Amino acid sequence: MNDSKSLRLKGSIWLTSGNSNVGGHGRIDLLARIAELGSISQAAKTMGMSYKTAWDAVDHMNALAGQPLIERSVGGKGGGSTELTERGKRLVTNFRILEKEHQRFLDDLGKHIHSIADVILVPRRISMKTSARNHFAGVISSIKRGAVNDEVELEIPGGQKITASITHGSVESLGLKAGDEAFALVKASSVILVADARKTRFSARNCLSGKIATLRPGAVNTEVIVNIDQNSQITAVITNESATTLDLATGHEISALFKASSVIIGIPA
């Protein structure tokens, strides 16, 4: 089979601020639907997400944009509505322009796909975007069989290990075995922060320790980014009250805990 015939170029654009993502197609589409429907909840429904998820996304973009992207009006027959600010409208418009230019670039590059197919198909590592904020690449160090679930241990750069509890069927379907390259996905909302984990024992199997690199407070939650080594980070989203109680500050040592059942294992395609 000639792989170059079926090979296509695809890509996506993400706006970033420092080490954080402002948003990509999904978040910009959310803003556009808010503008169209005049409601965060209605926009969230059309995209199959909860109101909280939509609000957290908008709140995250607001914090990084430096100015509000939406505004609410009160009163009227409908009890008020939500609209984009001028800054929010410009963000949506300019992002759509960038998307068109990006697609034009991909179309032009795709004309030469037959000559670069061999180069592209060689690497086994993949670059991907997921809704999970934490993505760790590594090598499977061990697999412990169970009656229903198996424990998969992934060693990541820096020597720390992540344990995942997944079904035996998933291990079989993925063809996992020790020595294979794999990656672990963990949602930021599944991460628990502990100021001094050495003094307490936890049921959570995974504990990654490091220093707080970034604190980003929002209306309700605080995003905490922890450097666990020179090349790896883990992000947690906790309540503002918890951040205050823990007296978090950049440079402080902290431990990030998460259950083995909260880890998703994947392999390069």
Side-chain angles (χ1 to χ4, degrees):
M1 182 182 68
N2 188 347
D3 289 320
S4 63
K5 289 184 178 180
S6 59
L7 190 66
R8 294 186 301 164
L9 288 178
K10 298 181 69 176
S12 60
I13 298 176
W14 279 78
L15 300 177
T16 64
S17 176
N19 293 324
S20 298
N21 289 324
V22 177
H25 176 81
R27 287 181 176 174
I28 299 301
D29 194 27
L30 174 62
L31 289 179
R33 296 193 189 198
I34 291 173
E36 177 186 354
L37 301 172
S39 166
I40 295 179
S41 60
Q42 291 300 317
K45 287 181 181 179
T46 64
M47 297 186 69
M49 65 174 63
S50 68
Y51 174 82
K52 182 181 183 304
T53 299
W55 172 250
D56 284 347
V58 172
D59 187 48
H60 180 74
M61 286 187 285
N62 279 337
L64 295 179
Q67 296 181 22
L69 301 177
I70 65 170
E71 57 186 2
R72 291 178 172 177
S73 59
V74 181
K77 294 182 179 180
S81 63
T82 302
E83 299 178 347
L84 297 190
T85 62
E86 287 302 317
R87 186 175 180 84
K89 293 176 183 177
R90 290 199 305 272
L91 177 61
V92 173
T93 299
N94 291 335
F95 190 85
R96 297 304 190 207
I97 294 173
L98 288 174
E99 281 189 316
K100 289 181 180 179
E101 291 301 317
H102 182 244
Q103 187 57 53
R104 184 180 303 174
F105 164 77
L106 290 177
D107 291 342
D108 289 340
L109 190 60
K111 296 175 184 177
H112 308 284
I113 196 68
H114 63 281
S115 62
I116 61 175
D118 291 340
V119 177
I120 294 177
L121 290 171
V122 169
R124 296 185 66 246
R125 293 186 179 272
I126 61 172
S127 175
M128 60 180 226
K129 297 290 184 182
T130 73
S131 61
R133 292 295 304 278
N134 299 300
H135 178 191
F136 303 98
V139 176
I140 297 175
S141 55
S142 68
I143 298 176
K144 295 180 181 179
R145 302 294 185 183
V148 178
N149 290 340
D150 294 347
E151 284 191 358
V152 179
E153 187 178 72
L154 184 74
E155 184 171 346
I156 62 176
Q160 300 201 62
K161 296 181 178 181
I162 293 175
T163 300
S165 176
I166 62 177
T167 64
H168 181 67
S170 295
V171 171
E172 292 294 323
S173 63
L174 291 172
L176 301 181
K177 61 182 182 296
D180 284 351
E181 292 182 353
F183 55 84
L185 303 177
V186 184
K187 287 187 175 182
S189 57
S190 298
V191 179
I192 299 171
L193 296 181
V194 180
D196 193 347
R198 294 170 297 179
K199 296 180 179 180
T200 312
R201 300 177 67 181
F202 299 92
S203 61
R205 291 294 305 277
N206 297 292
C207 179
L208 301 179
S209 299
K211 292 184 178 181
I212 297 175
T214 305
L215 287 171
R216 189 169 292 110
V220 178
N221 296 323
T222 295
E223 181 184 72
V224 185
I225 300 176
V226 180
N227 287 336
I228 57 178
D229 58 42
Q230 293 182 346
N231 301 310
S232 301
Q233 295 180 325
I234 186 168
T235 299
V237 174
I238 63 176
T239 65
N240 292 339
E241 182 179 356
S242 295
T244 301
T245 301
L246 290 171
D247 194 24
L248 300 182
T250 56
H252 282 189
E253 293 186 356
I254 200 78
S255 294
L257 280 66
F258 49 95
K259 293 182 177 181
S261 58
S262 297
V263 181
I264 298 173
I265 294 292
I267 58 173

